[in-house]
Amino acid sequence: MTPSQQSTQTGILAIMPKLYSPIGFTKGYNFVLWFVFSGGMLGFCLARLMYLDFYGVFCSPDDSSANHAAPGECYWYNTYNVYRVGIKMHLYTIIPAGVLACVQFVPVVRHKLILLHRINGYITLLLSLVGVAGAFMIAPVAFGGDLAIRGAVGLLAIIFVGSLSLAYYYIKRLRVDLHRAWMLRAWFYAGCIVTVRIIMVITAILISSGDGKGGFFQPKACRELASYLNSTLLLQEYPDCTSLDAWVLVKADLTADGPEHQSAALDVGFGMATWIAIAIHAIGVEFYLQLTPGETRRLRELSHQRQAQANVSLQASSKTIVTDSERNNI
């Protein structure tokens, strides 16, 4: 290594603590892990804040926009109240919850801004539960809504809410170390939706043959297709749609002409992508916990201290109660 390279490396190492120390990190590798995982989640949520403008962006009349929902999805949301309420509940709560959750894992918030950490935690928990309820409501129509998708949504909801519940239980028991572990698990599980998008797009590209032969097909309701295809084209491509109550098979191919083919390509891989992403994140969070043993030990010691203090306070309170009772008897 040349002197100039050594100087550059030394300069970077000297600058790094100035970046992570103000927000409470004491070790560089902890900051890197937080930046990669929490930063990815934060970026994903911030990029989707525009969806809070439901009719202006997510289900805008201009369905050709890249920020629009998948072709045909807004038919279900705009036609049926249960799906419209469900998607709004989901978007309006889980996106802000994801942003607030990232704040929760900043050390300076956990160590010095304890009141903010608690209030923000309760808000995040409430928003998350409402968001999960909304996800259940839209599961039957989300990216096709087949049984694989509904099962994946159900599993994700169970492990996410279950982890949040355990995190809440342990913080009430003053087990800060286990509270951290289960809260990390909860948001790693929730963060799998970022990985789902990546796997789903890769899958859609791989299954797109481009020659119109073979490949995969996705069932679509004629009513859904009629919401974005004109009647002439609809009957030309799908003669069975003379009855809008019918269902037809649509070729899943990103390279084919017609938005229904792009929609089908995304729908076909969504269920598989969700199951794979859940598995990746379930294993990944355990690796993360193993990579941060120092924080686990520190919080375990802190938990023991708080439990000891709580026991002392409880014993003192009990003695006071007994003494007051005895005085009353006298």
Side-chain angles (χ1 to χ4, degrees):
M1 183 179 293
T2 64
S4 61
Q5 291 175 328
Q6 290 179 344
S7 176
T8 302
Q9 185 177 9
T10 303
I12 294 174
L13 293 176
I15 293 174
M16 284 295 291
K18 296 180 180 179
L19 295 176
Y20 60 73
S21 295
I23 56 176
F25 287 97
T26 57
K27 297 184 183 297
Y29 74 90
N30 280 340
F31 171 73
V32 172
L33 290 173
W34 172 84
F35 181 80
V36 171
F37 294 107
S38 185
M41 180 75 167
L42 180 62
F44 180 83
C45 292
L46 291 177
R48 276 149 182 78
L49 283 176
M50 67 180 74
Y51 289 168
L52 301 184
D53 182 6
F54 186 79
Y55 295 107
V57 177
F58 190 75
C59 279
S60 68
D62 180 17
D63 57 6
S64 62
S65 171
N67 296 319
H68 195 275
E73 281 206 349
C74 285
Y75 162 75
W76 304 103
Y77 302 145
N78 291 328
T79 304
Y80 299 94
N81 289 332
V82 62
Y83 300 138
R84 180 167 59 253
V85 172
I87 188 62
K88 287 184 177 181
M89 284 174 57
H90 185 64
L91 293 177
Y92 293 170
T93 56
I94 206 65
I95 293 176
V99 175
L100 296 178
C102 294
V103 175
Q104 288 294 88
F105 293 107
V106 178
V108 71
V109 175
R110 292 187 288 117
H111 299 161
K112 297 183 178 180
L113 304 175
I114 298 176
L115 180 60
L116 173 62
H117 182 71
R118 289 177 180 174
I119 295 174
N120 190 48
Y122 281 115
I123 295 173
T124 304
L125 181 61
L126 178 61
L127 290 174
S128 300
L129 295 177
V130 177
V132 169
F136 270 121
M137 294 169 68
I138 64 172
V141 296
F143 291 99
D146 60 29
L147 292 180
I149 292 173
R150 299 185 199 190
V153 170
L155 173 64
L156 186 56
I158 290 170
I159 60 177
F160 178 55
V161 174
S163 297
L164 289 176
S165 301
L166 286 169
Y168 180 79
Y169 170 80
Y170 280 119
I171 198 60
K172 290 300 180 181
R173 296 290 179 178
L174 302 180
R175 288 300 305 270
V176 185
D177 55 327
L178 294 177
H179 169 74
R180 167 184 175 265
W182 282 106
M183 198 58 80
L184 278 170
R185 289 187 178 103
W187 286 102
F188 259 79
Y189 300 151
C192 79
I193 197 62
V194 181
T195 307
V196 167
R197 294 299 193 273
I198 298 172
I199 298 175
M200 180 175 65
V201 171
I202 293 174
T203 302
I205 294 172
L206 292 177
I207 66 174
S208 298
S209 60
D211 57 7
K213 300 177 181 179
F216 293 82
F217 291 81
Q218 175 73 8
K220 292 278 187 183
C222 288
R223 291 185 181 277
E224 177 186 336
L225 295 175
S227 68
Y228 57 90
L229 296 178
N230 65 63
S231 57
T232 302
L233 180 60
L234 177 64
L235 293 177
Q236 178 182 337
E237 296 293 331
Y238 308 100
D240 290 340
C241 283
T242 50
S243 170
L244 293 181
D245 293 328
W247 286 69
V248 293
L249 290 177
V250 177
K251 179 73 166 61
D253 195 332
L254 291 176
T255 62
D257 292 333
E260 74 274 18
H261 297 291
Q262 286 86 49
S263 175
L266 296 175
D267 291 354
V268 164
F270 184 76
M272 180 202 71
T274 305
W275 284 100
I276 293 176
I278 291 173
I280 291 173
H281 282 245
I283 296 172
V285 68
E286 302 305 324
F287 274 106
Y288 184 93
L289 290 171
Q290 293 299 317
L291 289 172
T292 55
E295 184 68 5
T296 301
R297 285 193 299 269
R298 187 188 71 81
L299 292 178
R300 187 179 296 120
E301 293 173 0
L302 178 62
S303 298
H304 293 160
Q305 293 173 6
R306 290 188 177 181
Q307 287 178 328
Q309 292 171 357
N311 288 334
V312 171
S313 299
L314 181 61
Q315 291 173 2
S317 176
S318 299
K319 290 180 180 179
T320 302
I321 293 173
V322 171
T323 303
D324 290 342
S325 177
E326 291 175 348
R327 288 175 180 174
N328 291 333
N329 290 333
I330 293 173

